[in-house]
Amino acid sequence: MSSHDDPLTLLDEKNGARQLADRTEYHTPAPAGTSAMVETTHEVRVTTPANVCGMGHRMKRKEDPRFIQGKGNYVDDVKLPGMLYMAIVRSPYAHAKILKIDSSAALKIPGVVAVITGEDLKNAGNLHWMPTLMSDTQMVLPIEKVVYYAQEVCVVIATDRYIAADALEHIVVDYEPLHALIDPFEALRDEVIVRDDKAEKTNHVWHWEAGDKEQTDRVFDEAAKVVKQYMYLPRIHVSSIETCGMVADFSKITGKLRLYMTSQAPHAHRTVFALVSGIPEQKIQIISPDIGGGFGGKVPVYPGYVCCAVASIVTGRPVKWIEDRSENLQADSFARDYHITAEMAADKDGHITGLRVRTVADNGAADAAANPSKFPAGLYSICTGSYDMKAAHVVVDGVYTNKPPGGVAYRCSFRVTEAVHMIERMTDIMAHELGEEPADFRLKNFIKPEQFPYKSPTGWGYDSGNYAGALNLAMEMIDYRALRQEQLEKRARGELMGIGISSFTEVVGAGPSRDYDILGIKMFDSAEIRIHPTGKAIARFGTKSQGQGHETTYAQIIAEELGLPASDVDVEEGDTDTAPYGLGTYASRSTPTAGAAAVMAARKIKAKARKIAAYLLEVGEDDLEWNVDRWQVKGSPEQAKTIQEIAFAAYTNHPQGMEAGLEATDYYDPPNLTFPFGSYICVVDIDKGTGEVKVRRFVAVDDCGNIINPMVVEGQIHGGLTMGLAPALFEEIVYDENGTNLTGTFADYLLPTAVETPKWEIGKTITPSPHHPIGAKGVGESPTVGAPPAIVNAVVDALWHLGVRHIDIPITPPKVWKLLREHGVTD
Ligand code: MCN
Ligand code: CUN
């Protein structure tokens, strides 16, 4: 066989030519020097009374009255006088030369104001290309060729949305179809080049490694048992309630460009717009109102946004662009598309000793993932998960294909979903191969509580954890041993029942400034708190809630620290003219970064309040102690000043020489990431006649450190588990051999409904983060990261005795039905 028949050998040749130059540069960070071991508890800590409603209270979400009454303010609700509408001509080919674009007929339609093409953008100052968040380049509008199906080709601006949509059909584009690369392994042969705009004529974009290769190879040489498995995690796509969109409003008088935009990261987007367009940054205002969910899909900058902003500048009028559902499903950022070959080694006692992973990442036509710059494969190198092992080596190669660019979006924590899927599948395969009980095998191999802070073989510094604590609780909740008994009895009767476990470790809260940036901007986050004379407060943040409940939980953090009732603290996010600079909400980073900033800003206020209280009470600062909402004299609690009294004094009667007012801002640079974790157990029954998998029970024990609002956390877990069920059983973006998207509607792209969703049974342990100021870790993505392998492990567990070792997601009835027939099951 020539090396060109084996794509992985071919990759070795290509990487050899690169001399693995990227390796040190992209090595994962050393652990931060934080902390000792912390205790695990089961009760949520509550220290403030109900009227204050600080941490631990199940406060109802402040944002919900407007959401459940249909009074949210989404981008599509923004209507400005004289507003025009934009619609996009999209490519019917995945790869084709553009010969000609004729817009003359469209321009004759009454109400059509303009058509903007790639040539127009080029003439306006080379705006036809834009940078991606990974410092790659991406076409805004093409001039020479299109590189994916449904790519933006040109845009129509009209006085009415219907006229704009109708005009699309009157724009004639002549294409010359080219061979479309859909398979990254074919792309690696470089017989057809996706990005011929680049100097290097190759589809192999980047190479990245973590861990120690030599040591890992040695561990494998010495292993008593090695298992190997290829797995594919297909492309999937988020389905927010609101699709992406923008209302751009450029004022020729002031030169200000106001952009109402579905943005998870308004400040970062403002900076990118300023750098690309040359418009001074203070002249750009991004307002991200209620955006109806983000899930990562509203982190990238899409061509539609740029065209919409340009259209407003060109016409001098506000312009609205709202994607329809099919456009959203066909052309926006995707997630996964990882081809993984993994090997796991174990010694003769059944201890995992090593992990070797080879991964091909299909980037689509540009590397437009939303990862921190130094991490082209995100935080995938967390893939040794919850298990203590001697060595690991992980290699990832990024490839261009003729599919939409992106990567990462889908509640994934920067590729941790892929890492968790792989390690939890491999652990189960190893347990089954060794004939060990999967729960016992995990308990034996977990990193132990006394090993924290733990340095992983790929360089991570886990802050705290108690993996056995979570798994034991989950086993107790579901009565695991009884289920195993039931399974044996069912199997004897020929029934197919499976039990699957996933004991995941997450990593969230990017991130420490020495390693984490996006386009060079460090990944800190911010909080600004202002207390008014009457003791009411407004707090603003650099993050941006898309449904996570920040208006409630940030207020609770401030209530906890200052004793101001959470109902007296209004939280604002998403307006770059008012909020302090921050990197936005994704990768469950809000609590670890901006949440910590809220604490630090509140503590600055508390320090000033102490000075004011000492002045008012005519005592020394050292004579005072804090009690919930007041500074009181030690040993004489009746002598006290509440935070409200102090706030009033800050504007009316503060010490001579002190600045008036009571406010503070904090930009928080976390010392380390936080490492939430959990153990999920899933029970499935499989219908032999139809191949349908029914999730009968699902117990989820999560540990996100100290909890701010248990109800919000439970809500995050319910939603996140449903988003984990979805790719496990239903969701998949499918292309035909020409690269045409076959799943561009909800009739073809299947989401789970209430009918398919089981009753989630939730438990928790609490192992605080030792370096976060209130011991909290992020949680928003944990359930989506942790759930899919529990489901796959359950299905494989049901079928292992038939000879089935692995099934790729989504586990659809036809797939299972076929597999059953192949393994001799007929009814
Ligand atoms: N929380 C808490 N106690 C903790 C941790 C978190 O009470 N120990 C609360 C927080 O205060 C916050 C919520 O739980 O209100 C989620 O916090 P966090 O884990 O910090 O995550 P983020 O706020 O940064 O949210 C991002 C995360 C991501 S990356 C995706 S994707 C996702 C998710 O949240 N998208 C969502 N959850 C979503 N939920 C909704 N409704 N909509 C989305 O688009
Ligand atoms: Cu990966 S989806 Mo969330 O990080 O916005």
Side-chain angles (χ1 to χ4, degrees), residues 373-708:
S373 309
K374 282 190 198 167
F375 300 85
L379 311 188
Y380 183 66
S381 61
I382 191 80
C383 61
T384 55
S386 310
Y387 309 100
D388 188 19
M389 61 186 81
K390 288 184 191 153
H393 185 234
V394 188
V395 181
V396 192
D397 287 279
V399 181
Y400 285 139
T401 57
N402 290 113
K403 298 182 197 169
V408 171
Y410 200 105
R411 220 165 172 166
C412 63
S413 300
F414 298 139
R415 301 285 188 196
V416 182
T417 324
E418 289 86 336
V420 165
H421 202 92
M422 184 273 296
I423 185 70
E424 286 305 310
R425 283 295 300 123
M426 293 309 289
T427 303
D428 239 55
I429 292 171
M430 180 60 96
H432 276 101
E433 285 274 330
L434 291 173
E436 294 206 25
E437 207 294 314
D440 295 335
F441 184 69
R442 283 179 168 80
L443 289 165
K444 178 162 88 179
N445 280 288
F446 279 151
I447 300 159
K448 310 280 180 289
E450 59 275 16
Q451 287 176 273
F452 289 91
Y454 172 81
K455 182 163 187 217
S456 88
T458 49
W460 296 97
Y462 295 12
D463 58 349
S464 63
N466 183 345
Y467 303 141
L471 180 53
N472 281 324
L473 177 60
M475 288 169 71
E476 201 179 297
M477 284 173 66
I478 208 161
D479 201 354
Y480 184 80
R481 306 287 173 196
L483 281 170
R484 282 286 175 211
Q485 191 54 40
E486 181 193 337
Q487 184 186 28
L488 282 179
E489 289 159 15
K490 287 215 158 127
R491 194 169 291 162
R493 293 201 297 270
E495 292 173 39
L496 299 174
M497 165 187 167
I499 308 162
I501 302 174
S502 163
S503 291
F504 65 91
T505 289
E506 251 269 60
V507 47
V508 301
S513 60
R514 66 177 182 280
D515 291 311
Y516 294 87
D517 69 86
I518 286 193
L519 287 175
I521 312 167
K522 298 294 184 187
M523 294 185 74
F524 58 85
D525 226 293
S526 62
E528 178 204 270
I529 306 170
R530 264 184 217 178
I531 307 184
H532 306 320
T534 54
K536 314 290 176 183
I538 183 142
R540 298 192 170 104
F541 294 84
T543 47
K544 171 61 200 146
S545 185
Q546 311 121 45
Q548 294 90 342
H550 292 179
E551 287 169 46
T552 311
T553 50
Y554 285 149
Q556 286 184 267
I557 293 177
I558 295 166
E560 175 78 18
E561 290 294 318
L562 292 176
L564 282 178
S567 55
D568 286 350
V569 182
D570 271 14
V571 169
E572 282 184 10
E573 295 176 302
D575 183 338
T576 56
D577 268 10
T578 55
Y581 202 103
L583 272 272
T585 289
Y586 39 86
S588 309
R589 66 187 296 279
S590 303
T591 303
T593 60
V599 176
M600 302 318 263
R603 289 182 185 171
K604 289 177 191 174
I605 287 177
K606 213 162 161 178
K608 181 170 181 183
R610 184 179 203 167
K611 289 188 172 33
I612 298 172
Y615 168 75
L616 297 174
L617 293 163
E618 298 182 3
V619 295
E621 274 187 65
D622 290 344
D623 300 326
L624 296 173
E625 63 185 1
W626 180 259
N627 181 16
V628 183
D629 63 346
R630 64 197 61 201
W631 283 109
Q632 64 191 29
V633 177
K634 287 177 189 161
S636 168
E638 66 291 349
Q639 275 188 282
K641 290 290 169 191
T642 64
I643 186 73
Q644 288 85 357
E645 288 169 324
I646 296 169
F648 196 68
Y651 296 87
T652 59
N653 180 25
H654 53 286
Q656 280 293 316
M658 178 189 272
E659 270 183 55
L662 197 55
E663 60 184 67
T665 305
D666 191 82
Y667 291 87
Y668 188 79
D669 180 4
N672 190 5
L673 296 141
T674 68
F675 296 76
F677 59 92
S679 266
Y680 296 170
I681 305 182
C682 171
V683 182
V684 299
D685 295 308
I686 298 174
D687 185 319
K688 287 193 281 186
T690 63
E692 192 189 359
V693 171
K694 193 169 163 49
V695 176
R696 192 207 311 168
R697 286 190 72 189
F698 197 106
V699 163
V701 172
D702 270 277
D703 191 321
C704 58
N706 286 335
I707 291 178
I708 299 152

Side-chain angles (χ1 to χ4, degrees), residues 1 3 51 110 158 172 188 271-273 289 294 381 431 454 507 522 573 587 665 710 728 774 799 814 817:
M1 175 166 92
S3 71
N51 67 315
V172 184
L188 277 169
T271 303
V272 172
F273 272 103
S381 61
Y454 172 81
V507 47
K522 298 294 184 187
E573 295 176 302
T665 305
I774 49 172
L799 305 177
W817 189 89

